[in-house]
Amino acid sequence: MLLERPGQPLREAELPEPQQRPGQLLVSVRACGVCRTDLHIVDGELARPKLPLVLGHQIVATVAGEKRRIGIPWLGWTDGDCRYCRSGRENLCDKARFTGYDADGGYAEYAVADERFCLGLPDEYGDLEVAPLLCAGLIGYRALRLAGDGERLGLYGFGASAHIVAQVARHQGRRVFAFTRPGDDEGKRFALALDAEWAGGSDERPPEELDAAIIFAPVGELVPAALRVLAKGGVVVCAGIHMSDIPSFPYELLWEERVVRSVANLTRRDGEEFLALAPRVPVRTSIQAFPLERANEAIEHLRRGEIHGAAVVQVRS
């Protein structure tokens, strides 16, 4: 399913089988998670994607000619030599290349990927169930770590990432407060079913102050909203790759050592740690599957907020 230019639907296309270079693996794609980043690329909100482009960066695949199953995440290549790579921050590499953005991704039957950036997958999960762990889970895990150790955790935007992070947070003994779109009663019920202590609209105040908040929804107005319900010394983590402008807010919301920070991409270490942790929790993913040729439908459901959990494109059964 090919994106020829932003603002247009993906087009079903026949492409040559990709050619692997030294150090790369040719893989047979089995499933690929649908991410909000894909939606941002389709809508032209992220500059300079490779075009035409095969989207998808939560790829579950088997190595061609082998039975080995691997995961291919967003981070597809780094130079390994810049100041960021050398200091353990390869997620910030200036020359990084990303799957389904700089290189063709997983909305296809075959793909190639740098073997060094592929991840082993836990056997406890099927192809569809494990796909959301490769971005929704990994970015959520990194955001959770950067949110600190606070007990009272708010999650704004209860979708693919939040429904995974909520389970990890509860496993760690935290209390989870879920914020959904105003009026999304089904989303509230979904959050409460995953042991959120409270669920309400993003325009509501929780019953007590929060120690940290993670914002998954790409809505800049949620930053001051989260600051307003944060305790002293609390942290707001913006976990998306794109967000609408953050409106101005009074300094008193930030004072008393509150922090606003972002999460960018992921590292291979994030992947290894989280994929080892997930089956111990155990994280259970709630998915809605779409055949490859209905990828546009999956993206539209995501756009309208109609996916509770994660959408996954199924390439092979």
Side-chain angles (χ1 to χ4, degrees):
M1 296 295 290
L2 196 65
L3 176 67
E4 293 185 311
R5 58 179 56 87
Q8 293 187 352
L10 308 185
R11 178 178 67 84
E12 192 169 349
E14 291 286 339
L15 302 178
E17 184 176 291
Q19 298 299 302
Q20 64 193 105
R21 298 191 298 271
Q24 289 186 324
L25 297 174
L26 173 66
V27 301
S28 175
V29 178
R30 302 195 61 80
C32 186
V34 179
C35 181
R36 184 164 290 278
T37 299
D38 301 337
L39 176 57
H40 291 317
I41 295 170
V42 168
D43 288 348
E45 293 170 330
L46 297 181
R48 298 182 300 278
K50 165 194 173 298
L51 291 174
L53 173 69
V54 178
L55 292 170
H57 57 271
Q58 302 179 89
I59 305 172
V60 179
T62 53
V63 179
E66 304 179 29
K67 295 182 178 180
R68 179 164 50 121
R69 191 176 70 150
I70 61 170
I72 302 172
W74 171 246
L75 185 67
W77 181 90
T78 62
D79 64 20
D81 190 51
C82 68
R83 64 192 298 262
Y84 298 110
C85 289
R86 286 187 279 107
S87 60
R89 297 178 292 166
E90 64 181 8
N91 59 306
L92 301 179
C93 175
D94 288 331
K95 297 179 181 178
R97 293 175 59 82
F98 301 104
T99 309
Y101 184 69
D102 298 304
D104 285 335
Y107 289 17
E109 293 176 314
Y110 292 95
V112 293
D114 189 317
E115 184 170 12
R116 299 171 300 169
F117 291 83
C118 297
L119 299 168
L121 298 176
D123 294 332
E124 290 87 346
Y125 297 94
D127 296 333
L128 298 177
E129 291 74 22
V130 78
L133 300 184
L134 289 166
C135 184
L138 291 182
I139 293 298
Y141 173 71
R142 185 173 181 86
L144 183 62
R145 284 199 297 107
L146 295 180
D149 298 325
E151 177 191 5
R152 299 166 297 180
L153 175 69
L155 301 177
Y156 283 80
F158 208 86
S161 283
H163 98 285
I164 293 171
V165 168
Q167 297 174 64
V168 177
R170 293 291 296 127
H171 175 73
Q172 295 174 342
R174 306 182 195 229
R175 300 163 61 199
V176 174
F177 299 77
F179 296 81
T180 67
R181 293 185 182 191
D184 184 4
D185 293 334
E186 185 177 349
K188 295 176 190 176
R189 288 191 291 270
F190 180 53
L192 293 170
L194 289 171
D195 290 333
E197 182 171 316
W198 174 90
S202 59
D203 56 348
E204 298 180 49
R205 294 186 68 92
E208 56 189 283
E209 290 182 320
L210 305 177
D211 300 307
I214 303 175
I215 300 177
F216 293 110
V219 181
E221 293 177 358
L222 293 178
V223 173
L227 284 170
R228 286 189 177 92
V229 300
L230 214 60
K232 298 175 184 179
V235 181
V236 173
V237 181
C238 303
I241 194 171
H242 172 81
M243 179 180 272
S244 61
D245 289 348
I246 300 172
S248 63
F249 53 85
Y251 175 66
E252 65 180 351
L253 294 183
L254 189 63
W255 190 58
E256 295 175 319
E257 300 193 352
R258 294 175 180 86
V259 175
V260 177
R261 66 170 306 158
S262 69
V263 166
N265 313 315
L266 66 138
T267 66
R268 284 171 282 182
R269 182 177 177 181
D270 293 330
E272 292 160 1
E273 289 181 359
F274 176 67
L275 291 172
L277 172 64
R280 298 202 305 267
V281 171
V283 170
R284 301 299 182 205
T285 53
S286 176
I287 61 165
Q288 185 172 343
F290 298 81
L292 177 60
E293 62 271 17
R294 288 172 54 198
N296 284 310
E297 184 179 338
I299 289 171
E300 285 306 311
H301 278 288
L302 181 62
R303 185 195 307 280
R304 296 194 295 264
E306 297 170 348
I307 303 292
H308 290 105
V312 179
V313 168
Q314 183 171 10
V315 180
R316 289 180 172 83
S317 57

